[in-house]
Amino acid sequence: MTGPHVSGTTRLYPVLGDPVAQVRAPGLLNPLLAELGTDALVVPVHVRPDALAEVVRGLMRAGNVGGLLVTVPHKAAVCALV
């Protein structure tokens, strides 16, 4: 099986959660992004609650992060960070 093409121009869309084993967004969205020819990738990122603010600040500084998807238990906490 060949994975998606990733380059220096690929936009990343992290899915922040704790845990992330149940995250379905990459499996649903990455094939759609590829079909549309969009140079982007959705990636689960396991973030513990005590590291959430630091991780969000770091990802917001990354030039190729197009946005963040947020799942349990971080939905309410991220609202305070944006």
Side-chain angles (χ1 to χ4, degrees):
M1 180 176 160
T2 302
H5 174 74
V6 179
S7 72
T9 60
T10 302
R11 303 293 290 167
L12 299 178
Y13 292 87
V15 182
L16 308 181
D18 179 28
V20 291
Q22 80 289 355
V23 172
R24 295 178 49 193
L28 298 170
L29 296 175
N30 287 332
L32 178 60
L33 292 167
E35 183 178 319
L36 295 171
T38 305
D39 187 10
L41 190 62
V42 177
V43 181
V45 177
H46 187 184
V47 181
R48 298 195 191 287
D50 62 338
L52 181 64
E54 182 179 6
V55 170
V56 168
R57 281 192 300 270
L59 289 170
M60 289 173 62
R61 290 186 178 120
N64 65 332
V65 172
L68 302 174
L69 291 82
V70 182
T71 190
V72 295
H74 302 316
K75 290 180 182 253
V78 166
C79 289
L81 298 174
V82 295

